Amino acid sequence: MREVTFIRQNIEKWRDVELIVEDAIHAAPDRLADAYIDLTTDLAFAQTHYPRSRITRYLNGLASALHHRIYRYKRESFSRLLTFWTQEIPQTIYESRRALLTSFVVFVVSVLIGAVSQWGDDSFCRLILGDQYVDMTLQNIEKGEPMAVYDSGAETEMFLGITFNNVKVSFMVFVAGVLTSLGTGFFLLQNGIMLGSFQAFFFQQGLGFESMLAIWLHGTLEIWAIIVAGAAGITLGNGWLMPGTYGRLTSFMQAARRGLKIIVGTVPVFVTAGFIEGFATRHTEWGTWPRLAIITLSASFILYYYIYLPYRYASNRRKN
C-alpha cells in the first residue's frame, strides 16, 4: 500500500485518538483500550513499510502519549456500569451505524418478501409457520379470539420463556457472523419473512389493525433488538471479511469485541419486550389507545437511544 493511501484511510481515526489523549481522564476504559490497540497496529504497519517516514515518527509519539495517559489515569469506578449503558453502547452503535443500517434494510426487505409471498399465495404462511400453528390461529379467529396465542400460558412462565428464547436467537444471529455476514443475513431473512407472512395472513383475515396492535405491542422492541443483533453479526462478519490495514485476526478480534458489546446492550431490551409480551399483549380488552401508547413509548426509546444518543456523541466529538 502506498504511504499516501495509508494516511488517507486512517487520518480521521488518528485525529480522534489525539482528542482521546487530550481528554483521557473522561474517556471510557474500553475506548482507551480500543484506541491503543488500533494505534499500535497502525504503528507496526508503518514501521514495517515506511520505517523512516515522518508518519511513523508521528504514530510512535501518539502511541507513547496515549500509553502514558492510560496508565496515568488508570482507575476503577462504581459509575462504570452507568457509563457503559449511557456512553459506551451509544458510541459503539455510532461506530457500527453502517452495519445497523444494512441490518435494518435486509430485515425490511425480508418482511416485504414474506408479505408479498403471502398475498400471492395464501398457503405460503403454512410453509413458514407450519400447519399446526396456522390451523390453531384460524380456530382462534373462528372463536372470536384471534390473539389467543398470547394467552396460552401463565404470565410469568411466558415472560421467562419468551425472554430466554429471544436472547438465544439474538446471540445466534450474532455468532452467525463467524460464517461471514451472510450467516447473519440468513437469520435476518428468515425472521423477516416469518414476520411479513404472519402479518399479511391477519390482513387477509380482515384483522390487520387488531393484529398490529397485538404484535407490535411487544414487537416494536423485540424486532428492533433482532435488527441490532443483526448489526452486531454484520460487524463481526465484516471484521473477518474486510480487515483493512490490519491483520485478519486482529481485525476479527476488534470486531468481535464491538459486536459483543452491541449484543449485550440488547439484553435489557429483550427482557422488556418479553415482559410486555408475557404480561400485556394478552390483554386485548385494553382497547386501542393504551396499546398505542406503549407502542409509541417503545418507538420513542428506540429513536432516542439508538439514533439520537449515538449522533449526539458524534456531534460532541466533532466539536471537541
Side-chain angles (χ1 to χ4, degrees):
M1 181 187 295
R2 295 177 57 191
E3 182 179 353
V4 65
T5 303
F6 174 67
I7 294 172
R8 285 175 179 172
Q9 286 183 352
N10 296 284
I11 187 64
E12 291 300 323
K13 179 176 62 178
W14 298 335
R15 287 173 178 164
D16 289 343
V17 175
E18 290 177 357
L19 296 176
I20 291 173
V21 170
E22 293 174 3
D23 196 31
I25 192 171
H26 296 116
D30 281 353
R31 181 72 174 161
L32 291 171
D34 289 343
Y36 187 70
I37 292 172
D38 286 350
L39 190 60
T40 53
T41 302
D42 289 343
L43 175 59
F45 183 88
Q47 287 173 333
T48 301
H49 295 87
Y50 329 111
R52 298 182 180 179
S53 171
R54 289 197 305 174
I55 197 61
T56 303
R57 293 195 296 272
Y58 162 76
L59 291 174
N60 186 61
L62 188 58
S64 297
L66 182 56
H67 181 274
H68 175 70
R69 295 296 193 280
I70 288 174
Y71 286 94
R72 178 180 177 184
Y73 295 118
K74 185 179 179 181
R75 67 195 187 282
E76 293 293 333
S77 172
F78 289 110
S79 65
R80 172 67 196 284
L81 186 62
L82 179 62
T83 59
F84 176 80
W85 297 107
T86 60
Q87 297 180 25
E88 293 182 44
I89 295 295
Q91 289 174 11
T92 306
I93 290 294
Y94 181 79
E95 292 165 358
S96 302
R97 61 193 181 280
R98 290 185 179 87
L100 182 60
L101 178 60
T102 300
S103 179
F104 177 77
V105 170
V106 170
F107 192 86
V108 170
V109 170
S110 302
V111 170
L112 292 175
I113 291 173
V116 171
S117 299
Q118 176 62 26
W119 278 110
D121 179 2
D122 59 9
S123 65
F124 179 76
C125 61
R126 293 182 176 275
L127 177 65
I128 301 300
L129 302 171
D131 288 332
Q132 182 179 0
Y133 187 85
V134 174
D135 290 338
M136 177 191 67
T137 304
L138 288 172
Q139 290 173 10
N140 290 335
I141 292 173
E142 291 178 2
K143 295 175 183 177
E145 300 175 346
M147 298 298 126
V149 65
Y150 296 111
D151 191 18
S152 58
E155 294 176 337
T156 302
E157 290 179 4
M158 281 194 67
F159 160 58
L160 294 176
I162 290 167
T163 300
F164 175 78
N165 182 70
N166 287 341
V167 171
K168 182 182 71 173
V169 169
S170 71
F171 273 90
M172 289 173 61
V173 172
F174 168 56
V175 173
V178 173
L179 304 175
T180 73
S181 305
L182 295 177
T184 294
F186 171 78
F187 276 99
L188 291 172
L189 182 69
Q190 185 180 48
N191 281 274
I193 291 176
M194 187 181 300
L195 174 62
S197 62
F198 185 61
Q199 188 70 81
F201 166 76
F202 276 104
F203 271 94
Q204 289 174 327
Q205 305 302 317
L207 295 164
F209 182 70
E210 176 61 29
S211 68
M212 290 183 69
L213 284 177
I215 294 170
W216 292 101
L217 190 67
H218 59 272
T220 303
L221 292 176
E222 182 181 289
I223 297 304
W224 178 256
I226 290 175
I227 292 172
V228 174
I234 292 171
T235 297
L236 182 65
N238 287 349
W240 181 255
L241 284 174
M242 297 176 284
T245 59
Y246 305 119
R248 197 171 297 276
L249 181 59
T250 299
S251 176
F252 177 75
M253 293 301 292
Q254 292 174 354
R257 189 172 183 176
R258 289 196 302 272
L260 186 60
K261 187 179 292 185
I262 293 172
I263 207 69
V264 169
T266 65
V267 172
V269 181
F270 277 122
V271 171
T272 304
F275 181 86
I276 294 173
E277 186 170 359
F279 290 92
T281 303
R282 63 180 63 219
H283 292 291
T284 55
E285 75 278 4
W286 284 1
T288 299
W289 293 110
R291 291 187 287 174
L292 278 178
I294 295 175
I295 294 171
T296 302
L297 286 174
S298 298
S300 298
F301 164 77
I302 290 170
L303 291 173
Y304 176 78
Y305 191 75
Y306 287 96
I307 307 298
Y308 172 73
L309 280 185
Y311 277 89
R312 189 180 72 174
Y313 150 77
S315 177
N316 291 339
R317 188 177 65 174
R318 285 192 292 267
K319 290 178 182 178
N320 294 332

